[in-house]
Coordinates of all heavy atoms in Angstrom, one line a residue:
I17 N -18.1 -4.1 8.1 CA -16.9 -4.4 7.4 C -15.8 -4.9 8.3 O -15.1 -5.9 8.0 CB -16.4 -3.1 6.8 CG1 -17.3 -2.7 5.6 CG2 -15.0 -3.2 6.2 CD1 -17.1 -1.3 5.0
F18 N -15.6 -4.3 9.5 CA -14.6 -4.8 10.5 C -14.9 -6.2 10.9 O -14.0 -7.1 11.1 CB -14.5 -3.9 11.6 CG -13.9 -2.5 11.3 CD1 -14.4 -1.4 11.8 CD2 -12.8 -2.5 10.5 CE1 -13.8 -0.1 11.5 CE2 -12.2 -1.3 10.2 CZ -12.7 -0.1 10.7
A21 N -14.0 -8.7 8.4 CA -12.6 -8.8 8.3 C -12.0 -9.6 9.5 O -10.7 -9.7 9.5 CB -12.0 -7.4 8.2
V31 N -14.5 0.7 17.4 CA -13.7 1.3 16.3 C -14.6 2.1 15.4 O -14.3 3.3 15.0 CB -12.8 0.3 15.6 CG1 -12.0 1.0 14.5 CG2 -11.8 -0.3 16.6
L35 N -14.5 6.2 14.7 CA -14.2 6.8 13.4 C -15.4 7.8 13.0 O -15.2 8.8 12.5 CB -14.0 5.7 12.3 CG -12.8 4.9 12.5 CD1 -12.8 3.8 11.5 CD2 -11.5 5.7 12.4
D44 N -12.5 14.8 9.1 CA -12.7 13.6 8.1 C -11.4 12.9 7.8 O -11.4 11.7 7.4 CB -13.2 14.2 6.8 CG -14.6 14.8 7.0 OD1 -15.3 14.3 7.9 OD2 -15.0 15.8 6.4
S45 N -10.2 13.5 8.0 CA -8.9 12.9 7.8 C -8.7 11.7 8.7 O -7.9 10.8 8.4 CB -7.8 14.0 7.9 OG -7.8 14.5 9.3
H46 N -9.3 11.7 9.9 CA -9.1 10.6 10.8 C -10.4 9.8 11.1 O -10.5 9.1 12.0 CB -8.7 11.2 12.2 CG -7.2 11.7 12.1 ND1 -6.8 12.7 11.3 CD2 -6.1 11.3 12.8 CE1 -5.6 12.9 11.4 NE2 -5.1 12.1 12.3
G47 N -11.4 10.0 10.1 CA -12.6 9.3 10.3 C -12.7 8.0 9.4 O -11.7 7.2 9.3
V48 N -13.9 7.8 8.8 CA -14.1 6.5 8.0 C -13.2 6.4 6.8 O -13.1 5.4 6.2 CB -15.5 6.4 7.7 CG1 -16.4 6.3 8.9 CG2 -16.0 7.5 6.7
L49 N -12.5 7.5 6.5 CA -11.4 7.4 5.4 C -10.5 6.3 5.8 O -9.8 5.7 4.9 CB -10.7 8.8 5.4 CG -9.4 8.9 4.6 CD1 -9.8 8.9 3.1 CD2 -8.6 10.1 5.0
R50 N -10.3 6.0 7.1 CA -9.3 5.1 7.5 C -9.8 3.6 7.5 O -8.9 2.7 7.7 CB -8.9 5.4 9.0 CG -8.4 6.8 9.3 CD -6.9 6.9 8.8 NE -6.4 8.2 9.0 CZ -5.1 8.5 9.0 NH1 -4.3 7.5 8.7 NH2 -4.7 9.7 9.1
V51 N -11.0 3.3 7.2 CA -11.5 2.0 7.2 C -10.6 1.1 6.2 O -10.2 0.0 6.5 CB -13.0 1.9 6.9 CG1 -13.4 0.4 6.7 CG2 -13.8 2.6 7.9
K52 N -10.5 1.6 4.9 CA -9.7 0.9 3.9 C -8.3 0.6 4.4 O -7.8 -0.4 4.2 CB -9.7 1.7 2.6 CG -9.0 1.0 1.5 CD -9.0 1.8 0.2 CE -8.3 1.0 -0.9 NZ -8.3 1.9 -2.2
Q53 N -7.7 1.6 5.1 CA -6.3 1.4 5.5 C -6.2 0.3 6.6 O -5.4 -0.5 6.6 CB -5.8 2.7 6.2 CG -4.5 2.7 6.9 CD -4.2 3.9 7.7 OE1 -4.9 4.8 7.7 NE2 -3.0 3.8 8.4
Y54 N -7.2 0.3 7.5 CA -7.3 -0.6 8.6 C -7.5 -2.0 8.1 O -6.9 -3.0 8.5 CB -8.4 -0.3 9.6 CG -8.1 1.0 10.4 CD1 -9.1 1.5 11.3 CD2 -6.9 1.7 10.3 CE1 -8.9 2.6 12.1 CE2 -6.7 2.9 11.0 CZ -7.7 3.3 11.9 OH -7.5 4.5 12.7
V55 N -8.4 -2.2 7.1 CA -8.7 -3.5 6.5 C -7.4 -4.0 5.8 O -7.1 -5.2 5.9 CB -9.9 -3.5 5.6 CG1 -10.1 -4.8 4.8 CG2 -11.2 -3.2 6.4
S56 N -6.7 -3.1 5.1 CA -5.5 -3.5 4.5 C -4.5 -4.0 5.5 O -3.7 -5.0 5.3 CB -4.9 -2.4 3.6 OG -5.8 -2.1 2.5
M57 N -4.4 -3.3 6.6 CA -3.4 -3.6 7.7 C -3.8 -5.0 8.3 O -3.0 -5.8 8.7 CB -3.4 -2.5 8.7 CG -2.7 -1.2 8.2 SD -2.8 0.2 9.4 CE -1.5 -0.4 10.6
I58 N -5.1 -5.2 8.4 CA -5.5 -6.5 8.9 C -5.1 -7.6 7.9 O -4.5 -8.6 8.3 CB -7.1 -6.6 9.1 CG1 -7.5 -5.7 10.3 CG2 -7.6 -8.0 9.3 CD1 -9.0 -5.5 10.3
N59 N -5.3 -7.4 6.7 CA -4.9 -8.4 5.7 C -3.5 -8.6 5.6 O -3.0 -9.7 5.3 CB -5.5 -8.0 4.3 CG -7.0 -8.0 4.2 OD1 -7.6 -8.7 5.0 ND2 -7.5 -7.2 3.3
D60 N -2.7 -7.6 5.9 CA -1.2 -7.7 5.9 C -0.6 -8.1 7.2 O 0.6 -8.3 7.3 CB -0.6 -6.3 5.5 CG -0.9 -5.9 4.1 OD1 -1.3 -6.8 3.3 OD2 -0.8 -4.7 3.8
G61 N -1.4 -8.4 8.2 CA -1.0 -8.9 9.5 C -0.5 -7.8 10.4 O 0.1 -8.1 11.5
M62 N -0.7 -6.5 10.0 CA -0.2 -5.4 10.8 C -1.2 -5.1 11.9 O -0.7 -4.5 13.0 CB 0.1 -4.2 10.0 CG 1.2 -4.4 8.9 SD 1.5 -2.9 7.9 CE 2.2 -1.9 9.2
I63 N -2.4 -5.3 11.8 CA -3.4 -5.2 12.9 C -3.9 -6.6 13.2 O -4.4 -7.3 12.3 CB -4.6 -4.3 12.5 CG1 -4.1 -2.8 12.3 CG2 -5.7 -4.4 13.5 CD1 -5.3 -1.9 11.9
F87 N -6.3 -2.9 17.3 CA -6.7 -1.6 16.9 C -6.3 -0.5 17.9 O -6.5 -0.7 19.1 CB -8.3 -1.5 16.8 CG -8.8 -2.1 15.5 CD1 -9.4 -3.4 15.5 CD2 -8.8 -1.4 14.3 CE1 -9.9 -4.0 14.3 CE2 -9.3 -2.0 13.2 CZ -9.9 -3.2 13.2
G88 N -5.7 0.6 17.4 CA -5.2 1.6 18.2 C -6.2 2.2 19.2 O -5.9 2.6 20.3
Q89 N -7.4 2.4 18.6 CA -8.5 3.0 19.4 C -8.8 2.3 20.7 O -9.1 2.8 21.7 CB -9.7 3.2 18.6 CG -9.7 4.3 17.5 CD -9.1 3.8 16.2 OE1 -8.5 2.6 16.1 NE2 -9.2 4.5 15.1
N116 N 0.9 -0.7 19.6 CA -0.5 -0.3 19.1 C -0.3 0.2 17.7 O 0.8 0.5 17.2 CB -1.0 0.8 20.0 CG -0.2 2.1 20.0 OD1 1.0 2.1 20.1 ND2 -0.9 3.2 19.8
T117 N -1.5 0.3 17.1 CA -1.5 0.9 15.7 C -2.1 2.3 15.7 O -2.2 2.9 16.8 CB -2.3 -0.1 14.8 OG1 -3.6 -0.4 15.3 CG2 -1.5 -1.4 14.6
H118 N -2.6 2.7 14.6 CA -3.1 4.1 14.5 C -4.2 4.3 15.5 O -5.2 3.6 15.5 CB -3.6 4.3 13.0 CG -4.0 5.8 12.8 ND1 -5.4 6.1 12.7 CD2 -3.3 6.9 12.6 CE1 -5.5 7.3 12.5 NE2 -4.3 7.9 12.4
I119 N -4.1 5.4 16.4 CA -5.1 5.5 17.4 C -6.1 6.6 17.1 O -7.1 6.8 17.9 CB -4.4 5.9 18.8 CG1 -3.8 7.3 18.8 CG2 -3.4 4.9 19.2 CD1 -3.3 7.8 20.1
G120 N -6.1 7.2 15.9 CA -7.1 8.2 15.5 C -6.9 9.5 16.1 O -5.8 10.0 16.3
W148 N 6.6 11.2 8.0 CA 6.3 11.9 6.7 C 6.9 13.3 6.8 O 6.9 14.1 5.9 CB 4.8 12.1 6.6 CG 4.1 10.7 6.3 CD1 3.6 9.9 7.2 CD2 4.0 10.2 5.0 NE1 3.1 8.8 6.6 CE2 3.3 9.0 5.3 CE3 4.3 10.5 3.7 CZ2 2.9 8.1 4.3 CZ3 3.9 9.7 2.7 CH2 3.2 8.5 3.0
H187 N -0.9 14.3 8.1 CA -0.8 13.4 7.0 C -2.2 13.0 6.4 O -2.5 13.0 5.2 CB -0.1 12.1 7.3 CG -0.1 11.0 6.3 ND1 -0.9 9.9 6.4 CD2 0.6 10.9 5.1 CE1 -0.7 9.2 5.4 NE2 0.2 9.7 4.6
G188 N -3.1 12.7 7.3 CA -4.5 12.3 6.9 C -5.2 13.4 6.2 O -6.0 13.1 5.3
K189 N -4.9 14.7 6.4 CA -5.6 15.8 5.7 C -5.0 15.8 4.3 O -5.8 16.3 3.4 CB -5.4 17.1 6.5 CG -6.1 17.1 7.8 CD -6.1 18.4 8.5 CE -6.8 18.4 9.8 NZ -8.2 18.0 9.8
V191 N -4.0 13.1 2.7 CA -4.8 12.0 2.1 C -6.2 12.3 1.7 O -6.7 12.0 0.6 CB -4.7 10.7 3.0 CG1 -5.6 9.6 2.5 CG2 -3.3 10.3 3.3
L192 N -6.8 13.1 2.6 CA -8.2 13.5 2.3 C -8.2 14.5 1.1 O -9.1 14.4 0.2 CB -8.8 14.2 3.5 CG -10.2 14.7 3.4 CD1 -11.2 13.6 3.1 CD2 -10.7 15.5 4.6
R194 N -6.1 14.5 -1.3 CA -5.9 13.7 -2.6 C -7.2 13.0 -3.0 O -7.5 12.9 -4.2 CB -4.8 12.6 -2.3 CG -4.5 11.7 -3.4 CD -3.3 10.8 -3.1 NE -3.6 9.9 -2.0 CZ -2.6 9.2 -1.4 NH1 -1.4 9.2 -1.8 NH2 -3.0 8.4 -0.4
F260 N 4.5 -0.3 12.0 CA 3.8 0.9 12.1 C 3.0 1.0 13.4 O 2.4 0.1 13.8 CB 2.9 1.2 10.9 CG 2.0 2.4 11.0 CD1 2.5 3.7 10.8 CD2 0.7 2.2 11.4 CE1 1.6 4.8 11.0 CE2 -0.2 3.3 11.5 CZ 0.3 4.6 11.4
G261 N 2.9 2.2 14.0 CA 2.0 2.4 15.1 C 2.1 3.9 15.6 O 2.8 4.7 15.0
N262 N 1.4 4.1 16.7 CA 1.4 5.4 17.4 C 1.8 5.3 18.8 O 0.9 5.3 19.7 CB 0.1 6.2 17.2 CG -0.2 6.7 15.8 OD1 -1.3 6.6 15.5 ND2 0.8 7.1 15.1
V328 N -14.0 8.1 -1.0 CA -14.1 7.4 0.3 C -15.4 6.6 0.3 O -15.4 5.4 0.7 CB -14.2 8.4 1.4 CG1 -14.5 7.7 2.8 CG2 -12.9 9.2 1.5
D331 N -14.8 3.5 -1.8 CA -14.0 2.5 -1.1 C -14.9 1.7 -0.1 O -14.8 0.4 0.0 CB -12.9 3.1 -0.3 CG -11.7 3.6 -1.2 OD1 -11.6 3.1 -2.3 OD2 -11.0 4.4 -0.7
L332 N -15.8 2.4 0.6 CA -16.6 1.7 1.6 C -17.6 0.8 0.8 O -17.8 -0.4 1.3 CB -17.4 2.7 2.4 CG -16.5 3.5 3.4 CD1 -17.5 4.6 4.1 CD2 -15.9 2.6 4.5
M335 N -15.6 -2.3 -0.4 CA -15.3 -3.3 0.6 C -16.6 -4.1 1.0 O -16.5 -5.3 1.2 CB -14.7 -2.6 1.8 CG -13.3 -2.2 1.5 SD -12.5 -1.4 3.0 CE -13.2 0.2 3.0

Side-chain angles (χ1 to χ4, degrees):
I17 290 172
F18 288 136
V31 176
L35 294 177
D44 298 325
S45 59
H46 288 61
V48 300
L49 170 76
R50 300 285 179 163
V51 174
K52 182 179 180 180
Q53 174 192 357
Y54 292 174
V55 171
S56 294
M57 292 176 72
I58 291 172
N59 293 336
D60 292 341
M62 297 181 69
I63 289 179
F87 281 101
Q89 289 87 347
N116 64 312
T117 54
H118 185 255
I119 67 172
W148 294 91
H187 171 260
K189 293 189 183 301
V191 174
L192 181 63
R194 182 174 61 187
F260 167 81
N262 288 145
V328 176
D331 285 341
L332 291 174
M335 283 184 286

